[in-house]
Amino acid sequence: MNILIMGMGYVGVTTALLLAELGWYVTGLDPNESKIRMLSHGTLPFYEPGLDELLRKHLATRRITFTSESDTAVYDNEIIFLCVGTPSGNDGSADLQFIKEAAESIGMRMQGYKLIVIKSTVPVGTNEQVVQWITQAQTSAIPFDVISNPEFLREGSALQDALEPDRIIIGSENDQATVLIQTLYKKLSSPVVVTKPKTAELIKYAANAFLATKISYMNELARLCTKMGVNIADVAVGVGMDHRIGPHFLRAGIGYGGSCFPKDIHALRFAAREHDVDLTILEKVVQVNKTQAVYFMDIWEQLLGSFTGKTIAVLGISFKPDTDDIREAPAIGIITKLLENSAVVKVHDPIAKLPIHMLSEQLQQFESVEETMQDCDAVILCSEWKQYIAMDWGQLRSRLRQPYLFDGRNMLDGAKLTSQGYHYSGIGMSMG
Ligand code: UGA
């Protein structure tokens, strides 16, 4: 069976490489020719640990090829995965323009049976919509099936998540199509849930929204912890040991970011409003997330005296470690607020880069942590890259004008840093 993956973004490339690793012959299709050239030469268009090796491996095994030619790509492949983007529209709804274009392109070009697998995160009802778009684009009636198979990959650990998923969700109403997709994944030992397409579509949104809810709950509780002199990280350990709750996604910090949680929660709330249902919990989840960094920046500003006129080092601008993705990254909001307060901001990240249009005399990005911290009045840690945890903070202290260290991810050893002379403060911990 030959497989086509439409959309060579983060999900598409990871899915393509997973299927190649599972032994299938895969073609990656994207209209962006420079991206196709990069991939064909073994270079990823984004940073993701482990994927580049797998790309080079399967270029060598010839199980993966890349193209911008839709005609032959659709003709040659029986199974087609839709991995195109579904960005937020102005009203918060998911914009299905790329899904529609892909569906129409398949409908126009198909000359034999196709199984279309929707992997992109799409609103409930999209599966039916794709069936309609394909049917309308067909010049003669040719059979096809559309199934939903949402992804649960995390940036930074996509490869591991792809190879060992907690579950495989298949939304299908056709037994033959279900068997076909199960065959693709037969080497994976994960449990498979076969359900209706609409249910599969909602599972994806519900999972992301629930994870974001856990984070916002802990983030709000962290505010109370600060007032009570209790450490939120210790609370998380005790709470997470209850197997009904679980230890994951209880890390308080400056808020969640990325291309998924913010967008998907907006889309779910939009869909709910269309059905006259108000998802009030999610409204609060978003509100806590929007105000979390500002809440703790106010506390840090009090400790420092003022941000105005100060030089502040911001370490880690990606929305989480092991990615170069700065979409909706809390660090960007923090930098913006510092600039509004007339602070000079010096930025470092192991991989991610600030867009050039943001840079100015007041905001610069440096290659090394040493240069970044030189003559700063405070350091704010925004993403928990391993490098930052492992570095010699004792030595770095001498670079600073004032040794204020604000840990937006609670990732450092506060007691040790205090003994090294830092004024250390994190999220949801005793101020004393
Ligand atoms: C998320 C989901 O975890 C994936 O299952 C899903 O497939 C993906 O969205 C998607 O829809 O494509 P991702 O956004 O890559 O993955 O990253 P996460 O690890 O979920 O982190 C999201 C944000 O939450 C980050 O900013 C992270 O720093 C923050 N976070 C995470 C916390 O603040 N506390 C935690 O305890 C965990």
Side-chain angles (χ1 to χ4, degrees):
M1 277 182 300
N2 291 339
I3 302 165
L4 176 65
I5 313 285
M6 293 180 92
M8 286 291 98
Y10 168 78
V11 172
V13 171
T14 310
T15 304
L17 289 170
L18 166 72
L19 291 166
E21 183 69 4
L22 295 178
W24 305 106
Y25 284 87
V26 185
T27 304
L29 174 70
D30 199 286
N32 183 333
E33 289 177 12
S34 73
K35 201 186 259 185
I36 290 301
R37 262 195 307 278
M38 274 178 87
L39 286 162
S40 305
H41 288 101
T43 308
L44 287 177
F46 49 82
Y47 175 79
E48 179 64 38
L51 274 195
D52 42 358
E53 278 165 45
L54 208 57
L55 172 62
R56 287 192 284 275
K57 174 179 167 186
H58 289 301
L59 284 170
T61 61
R62 296 178 185 275
R63 278 201 223 127
I64 197 156
T65 51
F66 298 95
T67 182
S68 289
E69 290 295 322
S70 301
D71 281 344
T72 41
V74 172
Y75 181 83
D76 286 346
N77 295 283
E78 188 179 353
I79 302 178
I80 304 178
F81 279 73
L82 301 190
C83 295
V84 295
T86 51
S88 268
N90 291 336
D91 53 5
S93 66
D95 181 347
L96 294 181
Q97 176 202 343
F98 299 120
I99 293 279
K100 183 169 190 264
E101 280 171 18
E104 288 174 345
S105 162
I106 296 167
M108 275 179 331
R109 293 181 168 88
M110 61 191 281
Q111 293 180 21
Y113 173 83
K114 303 285 169 198
L115 171 63
I116 293 98
V117 184
I118 306 178
K119 209 160 234 325
S120 310
T121 301
V122 291
V124 173
T126 303
N127 189 298
E128 282 170 23
Q129 182 74 72
V130 167
V131 171
Q132 278 178 27
W133 283 328
I134 294 177
T135 309
Q136 283 159 9
Q138 284 183 330
T139 44
S140 59
I142 299 164
F144 66 93
D145 289 301
V146 181
I147 64 174
S148 297
N149 173 222
E151 55 83 21
F152 299 96
L153 309 170
R154 283 166 301 173
E155 291 188 26
S157 54
L159 184 55
Q160 191 202 334
D161 290 347
L163 290 168
E164 294 165 28
D166 286 348
R167 72 299 205 192
I168 295 167
I169 303 288
I170 298 173
S172 167
E173 283 180 312
N174 179 294
D175 290 345
Q176 214 181 321
T178 309
V179 170
L180 204 52
I181 183 96
Q182 279 180 308
T183 310
L184 292 189
Y185 294 130
K186 66 175 188 283
K187 285 192 187 159
L188 299 178
S189 51
S190 313
V192 174
V193 177
V194 180
T195 184
K196 289 186 173 23
K198 276 186 180 178
T199 313
E201 289 165 337
L202 187 55
I203 285 171
K204 169 63 199 239
Y205 281 106
N208 271 3
F210 186 70
L211 292 170
T213 304
K214 283 181 97 174
I215 297 169
S216 274
Y217 173 68
M218 293 308 281
N219 281 345
E220 197 170 38
L221 207 58
R223 303 178 188 187
L224 182 62
C225 284
T226 303
K227 295 262 161 90
M228 290 177 160
V230 173
N231 191 336
I232 186 73
D234 296 340
V235 175
V237 171
V239 168
M241 287 170 88
D242 186 327
H243 73 271
R244 294 169 302 175
I245 297 172
H248 305 292
F249 280 70
L250 299 180
R251 277 180 290 114
I254 45 177
Y256 60 76
S259 64
C260 304
F261 286 175
K263 165 178 84 72
D264 293 350
I265 293 173
H266 281 311
L268 183 56
R269 288 178 64 206
F270 181 88
R273 280 196 299 273
E274 280 195 322
H275 289 84
D276 281 329
V277 174
D278 224 353
L279 295 178
T280 49
I281 292 176
L282 290 185
E283 191 186 315
K284 297 294 173 197
V285 167
V286 172
Q287 192 188 326
V288 169
N289 198 55
K290 267 195 186 145
T291 52
Q292 180 73 353
V294 175
Y295 187 93
F296 282 94
M297 279 183 83
D298 285 348
I299 293 176
W300 296 336
E301 183 162 26
Q302 278 172 34
L303 293 172
L304 183 64
S306 167
F307 285 131
T308 308
K310 301 281 173 19
T311 304
I312 312 291
V314 171
L315 300 188
I317 55 168
S318 54
F319 81 98
K320 60 183 278 188
D322 295 321
T323 175
D324 59 357
D325 195 342
I326 62 166
R327 283 175 288 178
E328 305 274 340
I332 304 301
I334 286 178
I335 292 168
T336 308
K337 188 166 154 63
L338 289 170
L339 295 175
E340 282 166 8
N341 277 271
S342 306
V344 171
V345 184
K346 298 174 76 180
V347 165
H348 178 268
D349 191 282
I351 301 285
K353 296 266 175 283
L354 280 177
I356 288 171
H357 71 84
M358 275 187 79
L359 299 173
S360 67
E361 247 178 62
Q362 208 190 337
L363 171 63
Q364 290 187 42
Q365 178 155 4
F366 294 85
E367 289 295 319
S368 75
V369 174
E370 286 79 4
E371 272 179 290
T372 314
M373 282 174 59
Q374 189 65 46
D375 297 327
C376 284
D377 297 288
V379 179
I380 303 181
L381 282 159
C382 292
S383 43
E384 61 274 42
W385 286 90
K386 283 196 190 76
Q387 290 89 316
Y388 298 149
I389 301 172
M391 65 195 190
D392 188 344
W393 285 94
Q395 270 215 329
L396 285 164
R397 187 191 166 291
S398 61
R399 302 256 167 191
L400 293 169
R401 194 153 49 204
Q402 298 194 72
Y404 284 93
L405 179 43
F406 303 135
D407 183 352
R409 296 290 178 186
N410 289 351
M411 61 171 154
L412 299 174
D413 182 343
K416 187 172 168 197
L417 288 160
T418 307
S419 75
Q420 289 171 335
Y422 282 97
H423 305 309
Y424 175 84
S425 176
I427 303 285
M429 53 180 70
S430 163
M431 305 258 295

